[in-house]
């Protein structure tokens, strides 16, 4: 071919390519060819987001138990394209009851999922494609570390009593302590478990029954309810005078004043009961080791003895002066 012919052919090709309408037809033909081929069946590797429901300890920080599983699938080209471009199109949700799930023996915050059981669960949920197999060597999802501890039960008592009433005995709770377990991030902050409110009114003196526990979300308890027994009675004020003893060191002491007045509330039914009470001070002039010493020979008066069923205990005066007599005098 002569040089002149080559140039002429080249010019025809250039004019052919520059024709916009022709380019549109070529583009349409290419797309039609591609779409026609997408009708065929192919085998491809795709990422399938799998959400596992019902695994204890799985938290929102791990997308509620979601994990990407690499799967080999066979299906229509259109479906495979959608699965590759839009991962959520391929997403499935499976139940932990359909899987073989075990806690990791080294790190209990992880759960290992058996691959074969996962393949069966995905096959039952996946749409428009056939699952050939899961390609991951292992599948693990992260949950919370679990812990357990024993905590006391606290009665939530709502008082609505007219007149002067008080408990005649300590509250009875059975069981008084319960075992709780759950995510360690929750369990660590729990000091006790409260009950549902118990309304105490002036209509009765004794309250016996069962009350439900207020179990925090995500926590399991050894029991869901406890027995309780409360007794109330009208109270009256009682006042006694007690001599102040000196404890902590032997010797002779001068205590000023030597006696104090102790006032407390008691149920009317126990007004005449003899109560063995002792008021005392812990002797020692070092504030670092004696919390009852306030300086200048002054000490905090303390009390012990039979204080059951007593409330609002008040000691007057609250502090006394104590002077140790020198030996030989």
């Amino acid at each position: 071919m002569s040089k002149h012919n080559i140039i002429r052919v080249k010019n025809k090709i250039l004019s052919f390519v520059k024709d916009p309408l022709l380019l549109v037809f070529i583009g349409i033909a290419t797309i039609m060819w591609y779409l026609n081929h997408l009708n065929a069946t192919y085998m491809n590797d795709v990422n399938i987001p799998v959400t596992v429901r019902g695994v204890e300890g799985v938290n929102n920080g791990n997308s509620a138990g979601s994990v990407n599983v690499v799967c080999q699938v066979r299906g229509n080209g259109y479906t495979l394209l959608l699965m590759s471009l839009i991962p959520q199109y391929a997403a499935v949700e499976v139940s932990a009851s359909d899987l073989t799930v075990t806690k990791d023996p080294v790190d209990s915050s992880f759960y290992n999922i058996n691959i074969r059981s996962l393949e069966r669960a995905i096959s039952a949920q996946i749409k428009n494609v056939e699952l050939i197999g899961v390609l991951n060597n292992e599948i693990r999802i992260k949950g919370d570390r679990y812990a357990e501890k024993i905590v006391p039960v606290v009665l939530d008592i709502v008082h609505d009593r007219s007149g002067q009433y008080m408990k005649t005995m300590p509250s009875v709770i059975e069981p008084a302590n319960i075992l709780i377990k759950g995510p360690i991030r929750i369990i660590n902050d729990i000091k006790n478990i409260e009950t549902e409110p118990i309304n105490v009114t002036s209509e009765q003196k004794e309250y016996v029954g069962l009350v439900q526990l207020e179990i925090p979300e995500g926590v399991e308890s050894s029991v869901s309810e406890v027995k309780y027994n409360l007794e109330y009675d009208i109270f009256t004020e009682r006042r006694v005078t007690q001599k102040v003893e000196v404890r902590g060191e032997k010797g002779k002491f001068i205590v000023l004043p030597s006696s104090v007045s102790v006032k407390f509330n008691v149920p009317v039914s126990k007004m005449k009961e003899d109560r063995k009470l002792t008021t005392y001070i812990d002797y020692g002039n070092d504030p670092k080791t004696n919390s009852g010493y306030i300086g200048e020979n002054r000490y905090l008066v303390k009390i012990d003895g039979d204080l059951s069923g007593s409330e609002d205990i008040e000691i007057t005066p609250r502090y006394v002066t104590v002077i140790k007599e020198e030996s030989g005098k």
Side-chain angles (χ1 to χ4, degrees):
M1 183 180 293
S2 66
K3 183 177 180 180
H4 178 73
N5 290 334
I6 293 174
I7 293 174
R8 187 171 60 182
V9 171
K10 182 178 179 181
N11 290 335
K12 286 184 177 181
I13 293 174
L14 289 174
S15 62
F16 179 77
V17 172
K18 288 180 180 180
D19 187 342
L21 186 60
L22 181 61
L23 292 176
V24 170
F25 285 136
I26 293 175
I28 292 174
T30 302
I31 293 173
M32 294 299 294
W33 177 86
Y34 185 73
L35 293 176
N36 184 59
H37 277 70
L38 285 178
N39 281 319
T41 300
Y42 299 93
M43 192 163 62
N44 195 20
D45 299 343
V46 295
N47 283 323
I48 296 181
V50 177
T51 299
V52 181
R53 298 297 185 193
V55 179
E56 65 174 4
V58 172
N59 56 53
N60 293 331
N62 188 44
S63 301
S66 294
V67 62
N68 282 326
V69 180
V70 181
C71 298
Q72 189 176 64
V73 297
R74 180 187 293 114
N76 180 277
Y78 287 106
T79 303
L80 296 181
L81 180 62
L82 285 173
M83 294 178 71
S84 299
L85 296 178
I86 309 174
Q88 287 307 310
Y89 177 82
V92 298
E93 182 176 310
V94 299
S95 171
S97 61
D98 297 328
L99 303 172
T100 302
V101 182
T102 57
K103 281 190 176 182
D104 191 290
V106 178
D107 187 346
S108 61
S109 63
F110 281 92
Y111 297 88
N112 297 321
I113 300 178
N114 178 270
I115 300 295
R116 300 286 81 81
S117 68
L118 182 60
E119 287 178 343
R120 291 191 296 269
I122 293 177
S123 294
Q125 296 290 329
I126 203 168
K127 299 177 180 178
N128 303 322
V129 293
E130 176 191 357
L131 177 68
I132 304 301
V134 172
L135 301 182
N136 302 67
N137 292 325
E138 65 174 9
I139 298 292
R140 300 202 308 168
I141 56 176
K142 184 173 177 58
D144 285 319
R145 290 183 180 275
Y146 262 57
E148 60 180 40
K149 69 178 181 182
I150 296 176
V151 295
V153 175
V154 176
L155 296 178
D156 181 10
I157 301 175
V158 180
H159 289 275
D160 181 22
R161 303 186 69 94
S162 60
Q164 294 180 315
Y165 288 84
M166 65 178 293
K167 286 194 295 184
T168 60
M169 56 175 284
S171 302
V172 176
I173 311 171
E174 296 180 0
N177 300 284
I178 62 172
L179 175 69
I180 60 172
K181 63 178 181 178
I184 195 169
R185 59 187 172 84
I186 299 177
I187 294 295
N188 279 348
D189 294 333
I190 298 178
K191 306 304 180 185
N192 55 62
I193 295 294
E194 289 192 354
T195 65
E196 291 184 349
I198 301 172
N199 292 317
V200 173
T201 70
S202 58
E203 297 175 358
Q204 63 188 93
K205 291 185 177 182
E206 186 175 11
Y207 297 81
V208 180
L210 294 173
V211 61
Q212 293 288 321
L213 297 175
E214 296 280 7
I215 307 297
E217 185 177 354
V219 175
E220 297 178 24
S221 169
S222 56
V223 296
S224 61
E225 60 184 14
V226 295
K227 297 179 181 179
Y228 68 91
N229 188 350
L230 306 172
E231 290 186 7
Y232 285 82
D233 196 0
I234 297 175
F235 73 83
T236 186
E237 182 181 285
R238 185 174 177 183
R239 193 182 293 267
V240 296
T241 300
Q242 294 288 133
K243 187 178 180 62
V244 179
E245 296 182 359
V246 177
R247 297 179 179 178
E249 189 172 322
K250 294 182 178 180
K252 293 184 177 181
F253 298 88
I254 298 173
V255 180
L256 302 172
S258 61
S259 299
V260 294
S261 173
V262 180
K263 185 188 74 173
F264 51 92
N265 294 329
V266 293
V268 171
S269 59
K270 297 185 179 182
M271 176 64 181
K272 296 182 179 180
E273 288 184 0
D274 184 30
R275 293 172 179 266
K276 295 181 179 180
L277 303 177
T278 302
T279 52
Y280 66 96
I281 64 98
D282 285 320
Y283 187 79
N285 293 338
D286 186 352
K288 294 181 180 178
T289 58
N290 187 355
S291 60
Y293 180 65
I294 63 172
E296 298 181 352
N297 296 324
R298 289 176 59 77
Y299 292 82
L300 174 70
V301 180
K302 302 177 183 180
I303 187 170
D304 64 15
D306 183 10
L307 294 169
S308 60
S310 303
E311 292 183 354
D312 299 327
I313 300 168
E314 182 180 310
I315 302 173
T316 306
R318 200 69 184 88
Y319 299 93
V320 295
T321 300
V322 181
I323 302 174
K324 185 176 183 181
E325 295 184 353
E326 295 182 7
S327 60
K329 289 189 177 182

